Structure formats: C-alpha cells, structure tokens
Amino acid sequence: MTTFRVTQTMLANSSLRSMQAGLGRLAAVQEQLTTGRVLNRPSDSPTDTTSAMRIRSSLAQAEQHARNADDAEGRLGLIDTTLGSMTSQVRRARELVQQGVNGASGPAARQALATEIDQLRESLLAEANTSYLQRPVFGGITTGTGAYDASGTWVGTAGAISRQVGSDVTVRVDVAGPDVFGAGDDSLFATLEAASTAVIGGDQAEMDAALTKLAGHLDKMGATQAVVGSRQAQVERAVVATGDAKLALITRLSDVENVDLPRALVDLKLQEVAYQAALGATARVTQPSLLDFLR
Amino acid sequence: MAGTFASFNTGLSALRYQRIAMDVAANNIANVTTDGYVRRRADAVSTGAAVQAALWSRSDDTAGGVALGSLDRMVDPFLDLRARREHGKQAFLDTRVAVLDRVESGIGEPGDSGVAAALDDFAAAWADLGNHPEREASRSAVLSAGATLADAVRVQAANVTTEIEDQVHHATDLGAEIDATAASLAEVNRSLAAAQLDGTDSNDLLDRRDELADRLSTLTGGEAKVRPDGGMDVTVNGTALVTGSTSSTVTVSGGSGGAPLVLGIDDGTTTTTVPTSAWGGRLGAVAELVTTTLPQHLAGLDGVAVTLATAVNTAHRTGYGLDGVSGRDYFAYDPDGAAGSLRVAITSPDQLGVAKVAGTFDGSNATAVGAQVEGAASSYQRLVNGFGSSVQSATRLASTQRLVTAQVEGSREQLTGVNLDEETLNLVAAQRAYEAAARVISTVDAVIDTLINRTGVTR
C-alpha cells in the first residue's frame, strides 16, 4: 500500500493485526505440541486425514488377521499333536495285531491282546473327540460337543472352517473326521473293533486284512499331519508378514498424524520470539506523540 | 482606502476563524477512536477586495481578513464503495468459516472415537464372530458394535441437522437486525434531506449514514448508492431495501424440516423473492450454508449410511441365525434421512445371520458380512476428505480476503483517520495565529492611541 498519510488508528490496527496473527500462529503450534498431533481436524490436511483413516482401517484389519492367525495356530497345533499321539497308538495296535498273527499261544494271551486293542480304541476315540475351545476339531461345523459317538460313528457336520490370516491368505483350520479316519466299515474304529474280534477268534485272514487296513490308516494320518504341518507353516509366514505390515502401518500413521517434536519446539520458539517482537514494537510505536515534545 | 478601524475587523475575523480551526482540531482529537468518524478540515478563504469588478464603485481595499470557506469531510466515495464491497465479502466468508469449523469439530476425525473407528470396530466384531460363532459373547459384541456405529452416524447427522436449524434461526435474527438498520438508515436519509434544505452542518449525519450503509452491506452484501439529496439507497440484487426515507423489511421462511429457505424483501405492499444465491454478507453466508453446503454434507452422510446398510443387509440375509431363520436385515433406516435414522434391526443375538448352513456353528457368513464394511468406510473417507477440503478452502479464502479488506480499510483510514500529531500541529498553529491576531489588535490599538492621545502633544 502506498502510504501518504499514517494515523494513530492505522498503527493501532496494524499492530493489533500482527499481534493477532502472531498469537494465532503461536496457538497453532501450541495445539500441535499439546495434542502431539499435526492432524487435529480434517481441514488441517484433507489428504493426510484420508491417509490416516485408511491406515487406521488397514491397521484394524492387520490386527484382525493377527487374532485370526492366533486362533488358527491354536487349532492346527492341537490337531497336529492329537494326530501325532493317535499315530503312535495306532502303531501300537498294529503291533498287537501282528503279535496275534505271529501266533499268540493260548486264548488267555489272545484275550489280553484283544483287551489292549480295545483300550487303544477307546483312547483313540477319546482323542478323536478332542476339542479346541469347546469345539471338536474333527467335527466340522457341528453344534454338538463331540465328533464321534461311543460306537465310533462320526456325528459331526461336514463344512470347512477357515481363517483369513493375511489380506489374501485364507487357511482351512479343521480336519473332518472321515477324511482322516475313514468312514463306515473302513473307519479306524471299525477296523480296530474287527481286529480285536479277529485276535480273540484267532482268525488269520481277518487279522491280515486288519493289518493292511491299519497300515492304510497310518499312511492317511501321516499324510494329513503333513498337510496340517504345511498349513501351520503358512499361518506362521502370514503372522510374520502381518507383524511387519503392522509395524510399517504404525510408523506411517505416526508420520502422518503425529507432530515432529523438535521441529514443533523450534517453531514454538520462533513464534514466541516473533510475538514478543510484535508486542515490543507496538509498545514503542504507540507511546510517543508530538504532545511529549511540545511545551 | 480602508477605514481607520478596518484592521480591527481583520484581526477579529482572524480570531473568529482560528477559534473555529481550534474547535475542528479539538473535535477531531475528541473523535480519534470513534467508529465511522471522518476527520474534518476547516478550509479558510481570505476575504480580500470585492471579487466582482464594478465600474462605478471601485474598491481599493487591500485586505479584508479571513473567513471559513467550508468544513470538509475527508472522504472518497470510490474508496467507501470498495470498502463496503470487501466488508460484505469478508462477512460472508467469516460466517461460513465459523459454521463449517463448528460442524467439522463434530466429525472427530481422524481419531479413535469417530465413525471411521466405529466402522473398524464393527468389522472386527463380525470377524471375531466368524471365528467363534458358538460364543454368546461374540454375538452380543456384534450387536453392541452395530449399535455404537449407528449411534455415531446418527450423532453426526444430528450435528448437521441441528446446525441447519440454528442457522435458520440465525437468518431470522439477521433479518430483524437488517430491518432495524434499514429503518435507521431511512431515518438518517430523511434528516439529511431536511439538513440540505436548511443548510445545517450535516457531517455527523453523513458519518452515521456511511456507518449504517457499511453495516447493511456486511449483513446483506447489498449495494449502496448516494442520492442527490445526500441520502443513500441500498438495493439487494436490484430490489430496494432502502429508498430515501422509506425502508423495506426482510422476510425469512422455510429452511428447516427439508423445506427450502426463501428470502424476500417486503416493501409493505408486495414481497419480492430474492434468490438465496443473490445475497451476500452474513445473511448470504447463512443462506448458502442452509441451502447448499450443509444439506450436501448431510446427503453424503445419508449415502454412507445407505451404502453400509445395503451391503451389510445383502450379506446378512444369506446367513442363518441360531433359530434357523435367514433373510433378515441387520440395519434398518428411513429412506428420507438415512443417516439420521440408521439403527440395528436385529433384536436378539440368536437372529444374527452367522451360518451359511442352517443349524450349524458355521461362521463363514459372519466373516463375509464383516468384509462388506470396507465399501462404506471408503465412501465415508471420501466424504470427510471432501468436507475437510471445503473447510480448508473456506479458511484460506477468508484469510486472503482479510488481507484485501485490511488493505482497503487502510486506504480509507489514510484518508479519513485522525492523526494526533497533525491535529496537535493544527491546534498549535491556530493558537499561534490567534495570539498573532490578538497582537494585531493591540498594535492597531496602540497606533490609534498614539493618533488620538499623542497627536499635537509636544512634551
């Protein structure tokens, strides 16, 4: 503005304006410092606000994936150990049948073998009803509490249970009973029942048949355990990836939302000095008038 | 040849004029902080010989003293016009920023308590239910997360609706203020016309007139025009608000409950509707907010609510509840005002459509519902971004306008403002001149004394 005449009011107004502006800037820095955030409302930076909201939502998703992965690891781990323990028991049952084939001498001895086989069957049945957080792991999506009833019949409901453990990684976390233990007369439990009967009766042919079937079951269980193991590995990889992603997201969120403390402090000091300068200048400029010098 | 006592009269005229000059300086100093006061200047004219040459009565006067020529009011009508226009714009933008700021602070983004956070929590609750469909706690969590989300959306919609209603009241209040100001201006116009007839000093009235006209353009953005009789007419979009000594009133109707805001000017016999976009100043800003910006934001919120409810309901309908029933809606809303009426339609945790297969603990449908939230989340992000941008641009425009207004106001102040140093100098100069004039009188007195009492006296 080209000034040809200056009045006291102009001085007062412009001083007031600069002091207001200085105080406003001081307040802005102060707000950033006290809240610790540069983004306090959408208009502070609409683009960064959108980024912050997106990052927060991605973060929530990553946390969900982590929770899902925890659950998946629990389930798959339990299935893995259960299958391991069951495999060794089936192996023992097979040895017992083998002893029967190899010609256990008397009926008492055969009876003893058969009793042990029956006990193993009971124990295997109990393990097949293993549950994770009250849900039978071999029962599919059943609402019941067990996967097998006392006679060894599968009472579960077919249906896959899956967990999303990464943005595009979904892992199946259950094993349906019939898929690993067989169904009907060929099921593990029916086979063991038949084997026990054959051992008592000394029926060589039946015992041979049971041996073959048990070998088949062992293969199947081994293969399933391998599948479960590979799923566990998949989940673990996803957990690591999710952890990395979470860390990266938190860092980015902090970059976008949080205040750069040293910079803000320097800014605060600068604005403070500027404000004090404005105050000092106003005090000096408004004080003198011609009246001070006229007598 | 001037008469013997002519110099007395010259001295007297100087005494009179300098008294006036001191008066004017004193008045300027007294009004240094008065709003709308325009400094005056006493213009002196020297009264010399008769200015009109005459053939038979030649004047051989050499000096006749001084007289007050005019009492000037230091204004520039062009600057006044500029200042009024800029003040109108400033008031428009400031009002807009104030209201938008308030609405924005109700959004609460980005943060842990806004709608975005509620959307995330809602999605997480569904995903957890997908993991544990058998748990009563997971079902209840989905219901309460849904209720929290619906509340958050409703609160935002209510914020905007309340603001619209408040602004409609504000418009009515502004209307009353405009009416009162217009009436005062009409009154001043009447006095000005009278003052012009009888020749009274009308400078104070002119100050008052300009101040009222400024006030009217701050309120309405209307245009003021000086009348030949010294008054000022104000029109808004060509419709007269003040004409000479008559003023009209502003009518405000509608605005709330979905009815459009209608603004008009009533001159006592007919009401002329003035489009809301034609108003400026504070009333213009309120009209713009009530008719455009706020309803747009509300419509955006409605859009988010509809997107959310439609996506979630579609996915939810395919799922079976524990009672074996499918095809239920999760959210319910009223099509006019979706955001303001969003609520959870499911009343019991057993009705949640969690399973894709009836009568099982299948959680896959819950997982699918949780995945539907993302669409609503991104449309909400766009809405917040859009609103944030409009607040930001309004704030920037207002602060840019502040510079322009300050500049124009500065130019006006340069011309009209009182400078104390200048007035002190004027005062001192008048004082000295007064003293000198007094000395002139006493000198002439001494001279005449010499003439009368000393002439012919030799000792």
Side-chain angles (χ1 to χ4, degrees):
Chain A
M1 131 172 70
T2 39
T3 310
F4 53 89
R5 195 168 168 275
V6 179
T7 71
Q8 271 76 12
T9 315
M10 273 166 80
L11 276 183
N13 282 347
S14 73
S15 304
L16 196 63
R17 224 178 6 251
S18 3
M19 282 190 293
Q20 277 284 309
L23 205 56
R25 282 193 294 269
L26 201 59
V29 182
Q30 196 121 41
E31 184 192 31
Q32 291 188 358
L33 274 172
T34 46
T35 57
R37 300 156 56 100
V38 279
L39 274 186
N40 287 300
R41 57 190 71 75
S43 62
D44 285 344
S45 169
T47 325
D48 282 353
T49 304
T50 317
S51 307
M53 284 162 75
R54 277 194 192 289
I55 295 169
R56 276 167 184 275
S57 139
S58 302
L59 204 55
Q61 235 165 43
E63 269 158 13
Q64 185 63 46
H65 290 158
R67 274 205 299 280
N68 292 355
D70 271 355
D71 187 66
E73 274 186 326
R75 277 174 182 268
L76 290 171
L78 184 63
I79 293 174
D80 186 37
T81 36
T82 310
L83 282 179
S85 135
M86 285 177 85
T87 307
S88 59
Q89 291 181 50
V90 173
R91 206 168 278 136
R92 171 70 187 149
R94 198 165 169 270
E95 278 170 18
L96 294 172
V97 179
Q98 191 69 56
Q99 282 178 23
V101 172
N102 293 350
S105 41
R110 284 206 297 273
Q111 183 61 51
L113 286 177
T115 308
E116 198 175 343
I117 292 173
D118 286 345
Q119 275 165 359
L120 282 172
R121 178 177 174 275
E122 286 302 311
S123 144
L124 282 168
L125 203 51
E127 293 226 38
N129 277 327
T130 299
S131 63
Y132 178 75
L133 299 172
Q134 284 101 50
R135 305 313 315 149
V137 291
F138 296 111
I141 54 175
T142 178
T143 52
T145 48
Y148 285 90
D149 64 7
S151 68
T153 313
W154 191 60
V155 291
T157 311
I161 297 174
S162 302
R163 294 284 175 267
Q164 190 177 6
V165 293
S167 40
D168 43 13
V169 188
T170 306
V171 176
R172 189 171 168 182
V173 294
D174 75 315
V175 172
D179 289 354
V180 56
F181 306 125
D185 289 346
D186 292 331
S187 83
L188 176 64
F189 310 105
T191 309
L192 286 173
E193 209 175 337
S196 158
T197 320
V199 167
I200 291 176
D203 186 339
Q204 282 293 337
E206 277 296 316
M207 281 193 281
D208 281 344
L211 277 178
T212 321
K213 276 189 182 174
L214 283 174
H217 281 302
L218 278 172
D219 279 355
K220 184 88 194 159
M221 286 162 72
T224 308
Q225 216 177 346
V227 169
V228 169
S230 76
R231 287 185 197 160
Q232 272 180 303
Q234 202 180 359
V235 171
E236 269 156 31
R237 274 199 303 278
V239 167
V240 173
T242 308
D244 289 353
K246 258 173 75 176
L247 205 63
L249 285 170
I250 290 170
T251 316
R252 267 191 61 204
L253 186 63
S254 158
D255 278 354
V256 171
E257 272 190 356
N258 293 353
V259 73
D260 177 358
L261 211 56
R263 225 192 84 192
L265 282 170
V266 170
D267 242 24
L268 180 73
K269 207 68 217 164
L270 270 176
Q271 301 303 350
E272 228 173 71
V273 170
Y275 180 57
Q276 278 167 3
L279 285 179
T282 308
R284 276 183 176 278
V285 160
T286 48
Q287 223 169 21
S289 92
L290 188 58
L291 296 168
D292 299 336
F293 303 97
L294 280 177
R295 284 285 167 268
Chain B
M1 184 64 201
T4 312
F5 300 112
S7 296
F8 272 125
N9 283 329
T10 308
L12 180 63
S13 76
L15 287 182
R16 280 185 178 148
Y17 171 74
Q18 299 308 340
R19 276 292 306 279
I20 292 174
M22 278 190 276
D23 266 358
V24 170
N27 196 41
N28 281 345
I29 290 173
N31 284 298
V32 67
T33 55
T34 308
D35 273 343
Y37 179 79
V38 175
R39 79 186 157 106
R40 326 275 202 248
R41 196 173 59 188
D43 254 358
V45 285
S46 112
T47 53
V51 279
Q52 217 140 30
L55 193 55
W56 304 114
S57 57
R58 201 171 57 84
S59 163
D60 55 357
D61 281 352
T62 46
V66 66
L68 176 70
S70 64
L71 205 55
D72 287 344
R73 191 169 162 269
M74 306 300 284
V75 287
D76 177 352
F78 168 71
L79 269 182
D80 282 354
L81 191 73
R82 272 293 307 271
R84 271 197 293 277
R85 191 180 311 131
E86 301 306 340
H87 276 299
K89 282 188 195 163
Q90 185 73 61
F92 179 90
L93 292 168
D94 284 351
T95 310
R96 204 171 136 73
V97 167
V99 173
L100 289 181
D101 264 355
R102 199 159 47 231
V103 174
E104 188 190 26
S105 65
I107 291 181
E109 302 290 356
D112 298 327
S113 50
V115 168
L119 279 166
D120 288 344
D121 288 350
F122 181 64
W126 275 107
D128 283 341
L129 178 58
N131 287 353
H132 301 290
E134 72 282 358
R135 285 192 194 160
E136 181 73 25
S138 305
R139 286 170 193 271
S140 307
V142 162
L143 279 189
S144 63
T148 310
L149 174 57
D151 280 350
V153 172
R154 278 206 310 275
V155 164
Q156 280 216 11
N159 276 347
V160 182
T161 318
T162 316
E163 191 63 51
I164 292 178
E165 272 159 23
D166 285 358
Q167 290 309 318
V168 172
H169 284 299
H170 190 186
T172 316
D173 293 349
L174 284 174
E177 196 179 342
I178 292 166
D179 294 348
T181 316
S184 306
L185 182 57
E187 194 53 46
V188 169
N189 280 349
R190 184 202 308 278
S191 306
L192 270 170
Q196 207 182 38
L197 286 180
D198 64 15
T200 323
D201 173 36
S202 59
N203 282 339
D204 284 340
L205 282 171
L206 291 173
D207 281 357
R208 183 97 187 99
R209 177 201 74 182
D210 284 355
E211 209 191 338
L212 288 168
D214 276 9
R215 183 94 195 115
L216 272 183
S217 41
T218 303
L219 289 170
T220 65
E223 239 178 275
K225 219 165 144 191
V226 179
R227 294 166 61 84
D229 65 5
M232 207 167 239
D233 289 347
V234 177
T235 56
V236 177
N237 196 35
T239 309
L241 189 60
V242 177
T243 312
S245 56
T246 56
S247 68
S248 305
T249 54
V250 172
T251 58
V252 179
S253 60
S256 55
L261 182 75
V262 179
L263 299 176
I265 293 178
D266 179 10
D267 64 1
T269 48
T270 50
T271 305
T272 316
T273 305
V274 179
T276 49
S277 57
W279 293 82
R282 283 168 61 189
L283 186 59
V286 168
E288 198 273 345
L289 285 164
V290 169
T291 53
T292 313
T293 309
L294 294 178
Q296 252 172 21
H297 184 55
L298 196 58
L301 272 176
D302 285 345
V304 170
V306 170
T307 309
L308 174 72
T310 311
V312 168
N313 285 348
T314 309
H316 188 260
R317 271 188 227 122
T318 58
Y320 292 88
L322 276 187
D323 51 7
V325 179
S326 73
R328 285 195 184 104
D329 277 347
Y330 182 82
F331 280 120
Y333 62 87
D334 178 0
D336 15 295
S341 60
L342 188 71
R343 60 183 177 81
V344 178
I346 299 288
T347 48
S348 145
D350 291 351
Q351 297 174 346
L352 286 172
V354 178
K356 281 216 159 93
V357 183
T360 62
F361 277 154
D362 175 32
S364 53
N365 202 54
T367 314
V369 173
Q372 295 304 317
V373 177
E374 211 165 324
S378 66
S379 83
Y380 178 69
Q381 284 158 10
R382 273 198 302 279
L383 179 71
V384 171
N385 185 321
F387 193 75
S389 302
S390 63
V391 177
Q392 194 184 39
S393 86
T395 313
R396 282 198 185 136
L397 281 177
S399 60
T400 311
Q401 181 63 41
R402 213 157 288 142
L403 296 177
V404 177
T405 314
Q407 196 270 332
V408 172
E409 205 38 55
S411 306
R412 183 145 88 151
E413 177 66 23
Q414 273 187 31
L415 188 65
T416 66
V418 175
N419 182 329
L420 286 177
D421 298 341
E422 187 184 330
E423 298 307 332
T424 312
L425 272 182
N426 286 346
L427 199 62
V428 171
Q431 183 191 2
R432 294 289 178 229
Y434 190 91
E435 286 167 10
R439 174 55 59 86
V440 165
I441 290 175
S442 57
T443 307
V444 173
D445 179 46
V447 168
I448 292 177
D449 178 56
T450 310
L451 180 71
I452 294 174
N453 296 324
R454 297 276 171 189
T455 308
V457 179
T458 53
R459 76 191 140 78

